[in-house]
Amino acid sequence: MPSSDSSAVLVTGVGITSAIGHGAGDFIAALLEGKRNFAVMKRPGRQCAAGDEPATRFIGAEIPSFSPPEGLPAGILRTASLSGQVALATLHEAWRDARLTDVDPVRIGLVVGGSNVQQRELSRAHESYRERPQFLRPTYGLSFMDSDISGMCSEVFGIKGFAYTLGGASASGQLAAIHAVQSVASGQVDVCIALGALMDLSHWECQGLRSLGAMGSDEFADQPQLACRPFDRRTDGFIFGESCGAVVVERAGAARRAGVGSYARVAGWAMRMDANRNPNPSFEGEVSVMRQALNNAGFDPASIDYVNPHGTGSKLGDATEVKAIEEVGLKHAYINTTKSLIGHGLSAAGASELVATLLQMRARRLHPCGNLEQPIDDSCNWVRVQPVDHAIQRAVKISLGFSGINCAMCLEAS
């Protein structure tokens, strides 16, 4: 399906907020520079006292000096959580990029990827009002619900088509993008925004993920910049990173507003479950979902020249994904890992990495990998410590989540 076909689904806008850059321009510049911002996390509610035992020092990449852009309503921002403020700022960029002010609000939809994303805010409220619950702020009655961020965004931007949240663990952001594409392709709306919400972890979630063996790092506890190392032999778990990404998708026939361009065509997608509650990966599931996405796009694996993998830094997960990429016939394609620079955004990861893929397509350059010193498989076509000049023609983006969730998306330069 050529991009000139009026039924082709195009990405016409992006927004991004991350620990290494706010906005698309700063973000792609930081990616290509290989910039990282990992440290012991300092946001209130992220670390906890442990009595007589030494407290675990949780490492991550936190967004520095964040302030929402001008023009957003001060009253809403004042009562919004960090997740809500970042969602509004990120959507604001994507909205302006795609010039959605000129679109009928009834024909715009919004899918927010991520559920239970405001944990730190709620945990701090519990601690602050434990002895005086009658003084709990009224907005708590909104913020504990998954509809809070989608409702806030729909109010601020006047979205009247539909708006809802979609929970899919670490695959939430890309699942939101898939649902947005399906909504546009089916004609339910003309334009749909997918937003991967910032998952604001408290010390409870950090400890739970450490206890599960998913979150690192013990080996690099005193060297935070070295801790995040997907696909490297010395990894010992994922490293959290605050981020939020948004993409605007619409049919080519609808994208006729002055000044609106296309980042890429969404050529194919697929989602598959492993029938498994647990976090362990499935080689069969990953192979199947990539093959299905390629088949739906009509792409031969040999035509793919770039893969943006899920790779978190899990020893078992990374090894399984590399084997799946080889099985599908994609090892020849360039591979880099966005998480190595921005950390694992959990609910936001798929959307933030989708934005990173689209910006690399536009820049015609691929960002380096952080800390990829001893790859678990030297035969892959890794982008190492330096950026690579390369005009992506066809890309595959993979996202995986706890509870056996697998999804993949194929993009084509437009």
Side-chain angles (χ1 to χ4, degrees):
M1 181 191 300
S3 59
S4 59
D5 188 319
S6 63
S7 65
V9 178
L10 308 177
V11 179
T12 58
V14 301
I16 184 71
T17 307
S18 78
I20 62 170
H22 304 177
D26 287 348
F27 183 60
I28 187 61
L31 286 176
L32 294 174
E33 182 186 329
K35 183 177 178 181
R36 289 167 281 170
N37 189 33
F38 297 103
V40 174
M41 293 191 287
K42 296 181 179 179
R43 246 185 239 296
R46 286 265 169 84
Q47 306 290 348
C48 63
D52 295 332
E53 299 295 326
T56 302
R57 301 168 74 238
F58 301 121
I59 295 172
E62 295 176 319
I63 297 169
S65 59
F66 171 76
S67 20
E70 293 183 5
L72 295 175
I76 289 180
L77 290 172
R78 191 164 49 248
T79 60
S81 67
L82 175 65
S83 298
Q85 291 183 23
V86 171
L88 290 172
T90 306
L91 180 50
H92 181 265
E93 182 186 16
W95 188 276
R96 289 167 62 89
D97 192 23
R99 300 177 184 250
L100 297 185
T101 304
D102 298 330
V103 178
D104 180 355
V106 176
R107 300 299 300 165
I108 300 175
L110 169 68
V111 186
V112 175
S115 56
N116 305 318
V117 298
Q118 303 180 94
Q119 302 97 322
R120 187 179 62 91
E121 182 86 3
L122 302 180
S123 176
R124 294 189 72 204
H126 296 164
E127 294 169 2
S128 297
Y129 295 96
R130 190 179 307 280
E131 304 302 326
R132 49 193 184 105
Q134 66 274 24
F135 294 105
L136 183 69
R137 66 185 189 282
T139 51
Y140 183 92
L142 300 172
S143 60
F144 79 87
M145 297 184 186
D146 285 345
S147 60
D148 187 35
I149 291 179
S150 61
M152 190 184 308
C153 290
S154 66
E155 177 179 340
V156 170
F157 293 93
I159 297 168
K160 295 183 178 180
F162 61 76
Y164 55 83
T165 61
L166 184 156
S170 297
S172 297
Q174 186 155 317
L175 284 175
I178 288 173
H179 277 252
V181 171
Q182 291 173 330
S183 298
V184 166
S186 68
Q188 185 179 0
V189 289
D190 294 331
V191 177
C192 195
I193 306 151
L195 183 139
L198 186 153
M199 181 169 278
D200 193 5
L201 300 181
S202 76
H203 62 81
W204 292 105
E205 290 75 44
C206 290
Q207 186 59 61
L209 290 165
R210 285 298 298 271
S211 299
L212 193 62
M215 179 186 279
S217 167
D218 291 325
E219 182 176 354
F220 299 100
D222 297 321
Q223 298 173 291
Q225 289 283 50
L226 301 181
C228 191
R229 43 199 321 118
F231 300 108
D232 188 78
R233 296 182 186 278
R234 295 181 66 191
T235 186
D236 66 350
F238 82 82
I239 302 299
F240 173 64
E242 292 179 342
S243 70
C244 178
V247 295
V248 178
V249 298
E250 54 189 305
R251 289 192 305 279
R256 293 172 178 164
R257 299 176 300 285
V260 176
S262 169
Y263 286 85
R265 178 175 75 94
V266 182
W269 58 90
M271 184 270 183
R272 169 183 164 148
M273 296 295 294
D274 294 328
N276 174 24
R277 175 194 179 191
N278 297 301
N280 53 297
S282 166
F283 171 76
E284 178 189 359
E286 293 176 29
V287 169
S288 174
V289 80
M290 281 189 275
R291 283 179 171 161
Q292 186 178 348
L294 288 165
N295 183 63
N296 291 343
F299 290 173
D300 186 280
S303 71
I304 302 299
D305 57 345
Y306 173 72
V307 174
N308 190 291
H310 180 72
T312 65
S314 157
K315 286 185 179 294
L316 178 59
D318 288 3
T320 302
E321 188 172 7
V322 166
K323 290 179 182 177
I325 288 170
E326 178 178 19
E327 180 68 19
V328 176
L330 299 177
K331 283 183 73 175
H332 66 279
Y334 278 114
I335 304 173
N336 59 12
T337 163
T338 304
K339 286 185 181 72
S340 69
L341 302 180
I342 69 172
H344 189 353
L346 300 173
S347 56
S352 298
E353 292 156 17
L354 184 56
V355 171
T357 300
L358 293 163
L359 292 176
Q360 288 177 98
M361 293 180 83
R362 180 161 284 189
R364 295 174 173 263
R365 297 191 82 197
L366 307 180
H367 71 71
C369 295
N371 297 319
L372 188 61
E373 298 168 352
Q374 302 176 53
I376 58 175
D377 187 335
D378 277 319
S379 65
C380 288
N381 191 13
W382 303 107
V383 181
R384 298 292 185 100
V385 298
Q386 296 294 330
V388 171
D389 290 333
H390 176 68
I392 301 171
Q393 296 303 312
R394 288 181 170 179
V396 171
K397 172 73 197 96
I398 307 162
S399 283
L400 312 170
F402 284 7
S403 299
I405 303 171
N406 309 278
C407 63
M409 180 177 283
C410 296
L411 302 170
E412 184 173 44
S414 59

